[in-house]
Amino acid sequence: MDEFELISRYFSNCGAKRHDTGIGVGDDAAVLQVRDGCDLVITTDTMVAGTHFFPDADPRALGHKLVAVNVSDIAAMGAEPAWLSLAITLPSVDETWLSAFAAGLHETAEYYNCQLVGGDTTRGPMSLTMVAKGIVPRGKAITRSGAKVGDYIYVTGTLGDAALGLKLCQGLHEVSKKHQTHILQRFHFPSARVALGQALRNIASSAMDLSDGLYSDIQHILKRSGVGASIDVSRLPLSQAVKDSCDNATAMQLALSGGEDYELLFTVPEAKRGSLDVLLSPYGIAITCIGRITGVAGKLELKQAEQPFNYVHSGFIHF
Ligand code: ADP
Ligand code: MG
């Protein structure tokens, strides 16, 4: 099978069929009909075999995850995901692998109403790069730089599940049978908080998605907003699976330093707080207040029931 057959078989009808796609896969470039009065939001994520996933990982899960982690960045900006591009490098043409990978891409892209509109296909050590493009009403994107002193800090969902899933896969931690499905789902098939991200547009002062873990990710908001944060670790939302599988110290480690949960971290001013529960309840995803923004620029203070919480962070270091 040559490159063009491969593209047409696996990547030419992938994801939703959007009416605002002028030209998708097949020409020199895609043509996208961005709505009047909107900003285009673009993000890129790469997954390298051996670094970001096990070389023998389930290809359907890889396809899912590649879309979900890119869409998660679009969601964190409060934007609507619309179009995807895929640059894929493969050591060889393995049709069993490709059809499962393409199925994962397709079902997840369709779920988020995204269309695959282009890419590049090359031979080499396996690497998967996706570009996601989204749209947001002009000037309404939620950034990392808007947090203000006194704002309340929230996270969606629960923290540490994906990191526990990774440990389970690596044989480093035991999880009882009844929780395994949930934990593995959270690790292999993460969800992007798309609808909730858009609902935060007129509520949140800043937002980001959690890919590297709360402890290191929140520093990006602190740096870009020029503020500090105080977090009460006893309020960190934990799943029943994490509670049942880990002692308290391990649970804290997973929730603070575990990566790949793809939950949203956001800040809300006092004045908007009252409407928060009502406005976000239709989305069916729990949100939890975990602390406040402080005026001590760059400082992250961890507390447990009003006492300082001593914590040694050990996160994923990219370089
Ligand atoms: P060019 O040489 O002009 O860059 P290619 O021959 O690389 O174009 O690609 C042909 C078409 O197939 C283009 O529309 C390109 O965007 C698309 N394409 C190539 N690889 C992929 C892929 N992995 N997924 C989706 N579309 C792809
Ligand atoms: Mg060309």
Side-chain angles (χ1 to χ4, degrees):
M1 181 175 354
D2 71 15
E3 176 194 344
F4 301 104
E5 273 173 63
L6 188 157
I7 295 164
S8 101
R9 184 165 309 170
Y10 297 108
F11 301 127
S12 60
N13 284 304
C14 188
K17 276 204 175 6
R18 291 185 63 100
H19 63 82
D20 50 3
T21 302
I23 299 173
V25 171
D27 219 304
D28 288 308
V31 178
L32 311 171
Q33 298 160 351
V34 180
R35 278 199 292 278
D36 284 351
C38 283
D39 289 330
L40 186 62
V41 178
I42 301 186
T43 180
T44 307
D45 267 292
T46 294
M47 289 171 33
V48 176
T51 304
H52 300 97
F53 60 89
F54 305 116
D56 62 350
D58 169 15
R60 196 180 135 244
L62 284 180
H64 173 100
K65 199 160 180 172
L66 188 63
V67 173
V69 306
N70 272 278
V71 166
S72 176
D73 281 320
I74 299 288
M77 301 298 292
E80 170 199 341
W83 302 288
L84 306 171
S85 310
L86 168 69
I88 185 169
T89 305
L90 296 169
S92 62
V93 176
D94 173 345
E95 293 209 48
T96 311
W97 190 95
L98 268 165
S99 63
F101 174 74
L105 275 188
H106 175 72
E107 65 204 17
T108 310
E110 192 169 52
Y111 179 79
Y112 292 118
N113 197 28
C114 287
Q115 182 170 353
L116 185 66
V117 293
D120 197 23
T121 305
T122 51
R123 188 185 292 269
M126 190 186 286
S127 169
L128 310 167
T129 295
M130 181 159 273
V131 177
K133 297 151 208 93
I135 35 195
V136 69
R138 175 124 331 135
K140 288 291 183 188
I142 312 167
T143 65
R144 296 176 174 184
S145 57
K148 299 274 186 309
V149 178
D151 286 357
Y152 291 82
I153 304 168
Y154 285 83
V155 290
T156 60
T158 53
L159 302 179
D161 297 328
L164 181 60
L166 173 61
K167 283 191 185 295
L168 173 63
C169 290
Q170 290 172 320
L172 295 173
H173 201 102
E174 279 179 24
V175 175
S176 72
K177 204 109 213 119
K178 74 169 176 182
H179 291 314
Q180 283 189 8
T181 315
H182 171 74
I183 284 301
L184 292 174
Q185 185 80 11
R186 292 275 289 160
F187 176 56
H188 290 302
F189 295 92
S191 297
R193 304 304 187 195
V194 172
L196 203 123
Q198 290 171 64
L200 290 175
R201 264 178 212 159
N202 293 312
I203 299 174
S205 50
S206 72
M208 67 180 301
D209 69 329
L210 293 173
S211 53
D212 292 348
L214 176 64
Y215 191 95
S216 57
D217 282 334
I218 196 172
Q219 317 274 352
H220 298 298
I221 287 185
L222 303 191
K223 203 168 262 170
R224 290 191 66 97
S225 300
V227 295
S230 172
I231 286 178
D232 180 350
V233 298
S234 60
R235 295 210 220 157
L236 296 178
L238 304 175
S239 66
Q240 202 57 47
V242 165
K243 286 183 192 162
D244 289 353
S245 314
C246 308
D247 58 35
N248 191 55
T250 309
M252 288 297 122
Q253 191 79 34
L254 292 172
L256 285 166
S257 302
E260 303 203 290
D261 282 321
Y262 299 101
E263 296 294 351
L264 297 180
L265 169 68
F266 59 97
T267 57
V268 178
E270 175 93 64
K272 300 272 175 77
R273 222 186 154 208
S275 52
L276 200 59
D277 287 334
V278 176
L279 286 172
L280 299 185
S281 63
Y283 301 98
I285 293 152
I287 57 163
T288 308
C289 182
I290 59 169
R292 301 282 297 265
I293 293 292
T294 69
V296 198
K299 184 166 165 59
L300 173 59
E301 181 190 15
L302 299 180
K303 291 192 300 189
Q304 188 170 34
E306 298 306 317
Q307 297 298 316
F309 180 72
N310 287 322
Y311 182 69
V312 182
H313 169 63
S314 63
F316 180 73
I317 313 276
H318 291 270
F319 288 101

